[in-house]
């Protein structure tokens, strides 16, 4: 079996899939954290793997950047591969002053400048929210591990390079924690298709303080977030 973007066997994916943006991050997660990882997708270099973590079958696959790319892979995983839970693990740019580099953010909800949820919700504003059981599992795990978390609203933008310089102030004034590029689309899609979704983020940039993690800090931060997420999902 294959879909336009995934050349895996029908039973190749576990019901829970971690979805980082970068396919090389998917490879790294599989090789570092999974037992017996097997590569199940190669189309467009968007690597996907299935293995096990703490004895539970689990998958990871790249999503690419932005709502359109992420939506293609998430749709095919849910519709054609029986995937029920998708947990995006990614990075974000903080806009809230309480956040600093390396902090973890759980996207309870996601605002957006994308039109995708209006397209699927008859032109109305959809309240794009995380799956509560998934959010609760990661929040509980973080609490028992003593890892501080920010839980709140993020902003999923279509424009990484935006000409609208005032937007970050507007977001901060409305209590938005951070900017990323997929959560609102993933949450709307999960609602449409009857799946569960969550977005877990590491703060890699601070947009109001012009602070940025270097590559080594990014790797360490994203690894810690991934391990916490896996422990929560497979604990
Ligand atoms: N904008 C959007 N997505 C991001 C950013 C950003 O500044 N940093 C990490 N992901």
């Amino acid at each position: 079996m294959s879909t336009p973007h995934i050349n895996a066997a029908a039973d190749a994916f576990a019901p829970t899939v971690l979805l980082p943006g970068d396919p090389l991050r998917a490879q790294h997660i599989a090789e570092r954290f999974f037992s017996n990882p097997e590569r199940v997708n190669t189309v467009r270099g968007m690597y996907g793997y299935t293995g096990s973590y703490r004895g539970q079958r689990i998958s990871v696959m790249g999503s690419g950047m932005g709502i359109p790319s992420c939506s293609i892979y998430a749709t095919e995983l849910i519709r054609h591969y029986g995937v029920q839970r998708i947990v995006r693990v990614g990075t974000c740019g903080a806009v809230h002053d309480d956040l600093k580099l390396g902090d973890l953010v759980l996207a309870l909800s996601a605002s957006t400048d994308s039109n995708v949820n209006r397209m699927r919700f008859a032109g109305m504003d959809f309240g794009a929210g995380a799956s509560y059981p998934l959010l609760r599992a990661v929040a509980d795990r973080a609490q028992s591990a003593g890892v501080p978390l920010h839980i709140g609203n993020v902003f999923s933008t279509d424009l990484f390079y935006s000409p609208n310089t005032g937007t970050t102030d507007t977001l901060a004034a409305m209590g938005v924690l951070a900017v990323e590029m997929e959560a609102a689309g993933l949450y709307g899609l999960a609602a449409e298709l009857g799946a569960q979704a969550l977005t877990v983020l590491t703060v890699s940039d601070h947009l109001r303080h012009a602070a940025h993690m270097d590559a080594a800090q990014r790797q360490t931060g994203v690894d810690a977030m991934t391990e916490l997420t896996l422990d929560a999902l497979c604990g």
Side-chain angles (χ1 to χ4, degrees):
M1 166 179 163
S2 65
T3 62
H5 306 93
I6 303 175
N7 60 351
D11 60 354
F13 287 92
T16 302
V17 179
L18 290 190
L19 210 63
D22 179 357
L24 295 181
R25 169 74 53 190
Q27 179 177 24
H28 170 78
I29 289 171
E31 289 174 353
R32 168 150 189 176
F33 295 108
F34 289 7
S35 307
N36 306 315
E38 245 184 80
R39 186 153 72 193
V40 294
N41 189 52
T42 56
V43 178
R44 288 180 185 247
M46 197 57 82
Y47 298 140
Y49 299 82
T50 296
S52 63
Y53 185 81
R54 297 187 175 219
Q56 282 192 45
R57 198 162 173 260
I58 185 146
S59 298
V60 61
M61 190 164 102
S63 71
M65 290 177 284
I67 288 173
S69 179
C70 180
S71 299
I72 287 170
Y73 293 108
T75 299
E76 293 180 13
L77 288 171
I78 296 166
R79 275 205 187 134
H80 302 287
Y81 288 96
V83 171
Q84 294 159 11
R85 287 173 293 278
I86 293 184
V87 180
R88 161 166 153 69
V89 282
T91 56
C92 61
V95 294
H96 201 284
D97 280 339
D98 287 353
L99 273 62
K100 54 186 191 323
L101 296 185
D103 281 2
L104 286 192
V105 174
L106 291 190
L108 171 67
S109 55
S111 304
T112 188
D113 52 18
S114 157
N115 205 39
V116 291
N117 289 336
R118 289 195 179 138
M119 290 164 74
R120 52 168 66 96
F121 200 51
M124 300 181 287
D125 286 337
F126 182 72
S131 150
Y132 182 69
L134 288 178
L135 183 109
R136 175 99 193 245
V138 177
D140 284 353
R141 180 75 207 174
Q143 192 176 22
S144 64
V147 175
L149 274 184
H150 304 270
I151 304 178
N153 193 13
V154 304
F155 188 77
S156 305
T157 187
D158 280 348
L159 287 175
F160 185 89
Y161 297 108
S162 174
N164 306 318
T165 49
T167 306
T168 49
D169 291 337
T170 306
L171 299 179
M174 289 293 280
V176 169
L177 299 176
V179 179
E180 54 85 72
M181 301 189 71
E182 293 84 12
L186 182 62
Y187 290 176
L189 180 69
E192 179 193 334
L193 300 183
Q196 295 180 36
L198 175 66
T199 296
V200 188
L201 302 162
T202 298
V203 175
S204 60
D205 310 279
H206 203 301
L207 303 186
R208 284 151 64 84
H209 301 153
H212 307 280
M213 275 182 164
D214 63 30
Q217 289 172 317
R218 230 172 234 261
Q219 176 96 343
T220 308
V222 175
D223 276 355
M225 168 182 68
T226 303
E227 192 165 16
L228 177 82
T229 304
L230 285 166
D231 286 341
L233 297 172
C234 304

